[in-house]
Amino acid sequence: ISQDKSKLKLIIIGKKADDYNEVIKLILKLKLSKKIYILLNVKNEKMQYFYKYCKLFVSTSIYEGFGMPLIEASYYGSQVICSNIKVFKEIGQDYFRYFDPYDILDIKNKISFFLKTKNKIIINNNTKIFKKKYDYNNLALKHDFYFINETK
């Protein structure tokens, strides 16, 4: 991002992590405060905006319970690239593109590739299928069914 001449911004959204202060210091040291923004505790209504209008949704998680943000991003038409961890591959299958979360160069190359090639066409062809698979109503029905079976 420091070498990128475009007007692209990196927006990091989440909860305040233990390394928050170090990240802020690094952003300031690298003079990237006009290109990198950190938003904490963003409400769901605002997240819909970010999902809908982001150029690329990136998740570098090395551990994840289910991966709901990836499903939500896809639901709103975001192009998703993420860590090649098992849970993300189970959810995303061929809908997402993956990188090694321990390989900074791989992450950089995948992000650059998708931003340069406008690879959204590939992912959007599968959006309808993905939305149907992870429709909120379908998810609720599946979870209710699971819950009912567990109580018997």
Side-chain angles (χ1 to χ4, degrees):
I1 195 163
S2 66
Q3 299 169 355
D4 182 39
K5 303 294 182 210
S6 74
K7 293 181 181 180
L8 236 93
K9 308 278 189 265
L10 174 62
I11 301 173
I12 302 169
I13 300 174
K15 295 180 181 164
K16 194 171 187 176
D18 294 338
D19 60 353
Y20 176 80
N21 290 331
E22 289 89 49
V23 171
I24 295 296
K25 286 177 189 174
L26 183 60
I27 290 169
L28 295 172
K29 179 182 174 184
L30 297 173
K31 298 180 178 159
L32 291 172
S33 60
K34 293 188 179 187
K35 286 196 152 259
I36 300 175
Y37 298 89
I38 298 177
L39 306 177
L40 302 174
N41 303 314
V42 175
K43 303 272 187 239
N44 284 340
E45 306 82 49
K46 296 281 185 194
M47 283 305 302
Q48 293 172 10
Y49 173 86
F50 289 111
Y51 289 141
K52 191 171 183 180
Y53 294 105
C54 68
K55 297 261 185 214
L56 182 65
F57 181 88
V58 180
S59 179
T60 58
S61 290
I62 54 174
Y63 171 79
E64 189 70 38
F66 180 68
M68 201 62 179
L70 280 69
I71 292 171
E72 291 172 337
S74 295
Y75 184 83
Y76 286 99
S78 296
Q79 149 178 314
V80 174
I81 64 170
C82 56
S83 302
N84 59 3
I85 60 176
K86 186 177 179 181
V87 67
F88 287 172
K89 286 187 161 195
E90 287 174 6
I91 294 167
Q93 298 168 1
D94 294 334
Y95 306 110
F96 302 160
R97 299 299 177 257
Y98 305 93
F99 53 76
D100 178 350
Y102 298 102
D103 184 343
I104 294 170
L105 189 59
D106 188 33
I107 296 169
K108 175 194 170 285
N109 289 340
K110 295 282 172 47
I111 291 171
S112 295
F113 174 78
F114 278 93
L115 292 175
K116 286 178 184 170
T117 61
K118 310 284 188 229
N119 222 350
K120 197 165 191 157
I121 296 164
I122 294 169
I123 294 171
N124 276 350
N125 286 340
N126 292 323
T127 299
K128 288 180 185 174
I129 300 165
F130 188 86
K131 278 185 175 183
K132 187 175 181 180
K133 181 177 181 180
Y134 286 106
D135 178 80
Y136 284 118
N137 293 324
N138 288 340
L139 282 175
L141 288 172
K142 287 177 187 174
H143 287 290
D144 285 345
F145 180 76
Y146 180 77
F147 179 74
I148 290 167
N149 284 341
E150 286 292 304
T151 60
K152 290 184 178 180

